[in-house]
C-alpha cells in the first residue's frame, strides 16, 4: 500500500498537512538536493535559512485558507520532516496481522486485524472545526518528532497518523475534541523519549482487534461520518458492542487524486 504521513493543510476541505505537500513544493522549487542531503549544504545555491523560510511561508499560505496559524518556530520541524521523509520507504508502518477480510462483488467491505500493544504519543485538541483540531494537534506532534523530546533527536515518521473521534448516539455529529496520535517507531517502543510539551502524553494502547474500512476521499467531518456509518452497516454484527469512539487513519495526501484513508472500529465483544 502506497503510504504517507498526514501533515498537510489543503484546499480540498481537509485540514491535514502531508509530507507529499512538502515534496511537491521542493520539486517545484528545485530543492531536491536540499531535501536529500543530511550533511553540509555548502554546495546549495541558497543558505539553509532561506530553504526553511520558503517551506515555512508555503505552509503559512496554505494554513491561512483554513484559518490555522503556522508559527515561525515550525520552520525547523518542517524542514526536518522534509529532509528525512523524501520517500515512502522512510516511513515505518504500524504493524498488524490480517485476520480476515469480507468482500462483496470484488469490493473489500472491511478487514479484521490484530494490532499488538504499543506506545503512542497522544495530544487532545479542541478547536471550532474538526480540520483545525487535526492541524494543530499534528503540529504539536511534529515538534515532538523533530527533536523537542528528552533525547533531543529526530524520532522518525510512522504511518498512519490516527485521530480518535467521538460521535453522539445517532452518529450524525462529531465531538469538537479529538485525539491525534503518533505510533512510536519500533526502536523507541521500550523507552519512549518524553515530550517537552506537557500536553503530549505517552500512552500504551492494549492489543486490539480492529475492523477497518478503506476510503478514498477528503477527511472532513461529513466524509468521516459517512464512512463511519458505512462501516457500521457493513459489519452488521449485533454481538459487537458499538461505542461512540472511532479512529480515522490517514496514509496519503488528502488532496491527491488517489487517497488512502481508513475508518477503524475497535472490537468490543
Amino acid at each position: 500500500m502506497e503510504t504517507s504521513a498526514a501533515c498537510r493543510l489543503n484546499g480540498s476541505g481537509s485540514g491535514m498537512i502531508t509530507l507529499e505537500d512538502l515534496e511537491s513544493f521542493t520539486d517545484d522549487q528545485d530543492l531536491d538536493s536540499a531535501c536529500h542531503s543530511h550533511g553540509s549544504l555548502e554546495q546549495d545555491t541558497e543558505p539553509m535559512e532561506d530553504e526553511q523560510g520558503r517551506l515555512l511561508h508555503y505552509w503559512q499560505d496554505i494554513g491561512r485558507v483554513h484559518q490555522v496559524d503556522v508559527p515561525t518556530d515550525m520552520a525547523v520541524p518542517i524542514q526536518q520532516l522534509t529532509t528525512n521523509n523524501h520517500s515512502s520507504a522512510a516511513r515505518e508502518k504500524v504493524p498488524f496481522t490480517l485476520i480476515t477480510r469480507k468482500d462483496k462483488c470484488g469490493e473489500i467491505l472491511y478487514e479484521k486485524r490484530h494490532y499488538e500493544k504499543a506506545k503512542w504519543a497522544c495530544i487532545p485538541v479542541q478547536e471550532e472545526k474538526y480540520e483545525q483540531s487535526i492541524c494543530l494537534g499534528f503540529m504539536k506532534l511534529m515538534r515532538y518528532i523533530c527533536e523537542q523530546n528528552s533525547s533531543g533527536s529526530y524520532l522518525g515518521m510512522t504511518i498512519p497518523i490516527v485521530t480518535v473521534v467521538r460521535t453522539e448516539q445517532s452518529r450524525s455529529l462529531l465531538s469538537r475534541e479529538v485525539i491525534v496520535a503518533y505510533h512510536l517507531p519500533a526502536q523507541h517502543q521500550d523507552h519512549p523519549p518524553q515530550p517537552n510539551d506537557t500536553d503530549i502524553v505517552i500512552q500504551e494502547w492494549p492489543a486490539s482487534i480492529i475492523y477497518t474500512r478503506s476510503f478514498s476521499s477528503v477527511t472532513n467531518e461529513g466524509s468521516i461520518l459517512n464512512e463511519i456509518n458505512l462501516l457500521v452497516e457493513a459489519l452488521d454484527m449485533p454481538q459487537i458492542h458499538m461505542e461512540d469512539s472511532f479512529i480515522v487513519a490517514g496514509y496519503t495526501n488528502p488532496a491527491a487524486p488517489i487517497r488512502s484513508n481508513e475508518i477503524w472500529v475497535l472490537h468490543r465483544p
Side-chain angles (χ1 to χ4, degrees), residues 224-267:
I224 289 169
L225 287 167
N226 181 60
E227 294 299 332
I228 285 173
N229 284 295
L230 286 174
L231 176 56
V232 171
E233 180 182 347
L235 287 172
D236 191 25
M237 296 179 182
Q239 68 271 26
I240 297 179
H241 178 53
M242 290 290 181
E243 295 195 358
D244 61 353
S245 294
F246 300 86
I247 293 176
V248 183
Y251 290 88
T252 53
N253 171 8
I258 300 177
R259 310 173 185 100
S260 180
N261 309 296
E262 291 174 343
I263 293 294
W264 292 2
V265 172
L266 181 64
H267 182 177

Side-chain angles (χ1 to χ4, degrees), residues 15 50 80 111-112 124-125 149 166 185 210 258 261 269:
D50 288 349
Q80 285 180 328
E111 289 185 347
K112 183 178 182 182
V125 192
N149 56 70
R166 300 180 69 87
I210 302 287
I258 300 177
N261 309 296

Side-chain angles (χ1 to χ4, degrees), residues 3 9 15 24 46 83 91 104 114 159 176 186 214 229 266:
T3 52
L9 292 166
S24 64
E46 297 183 354
T83 301
R91 302 160 208 159
K104 183 178 181 180
H114 178 264
I159 47 175
R176 294 275 69 82
S214 298
N229 284 295
L266 181 64

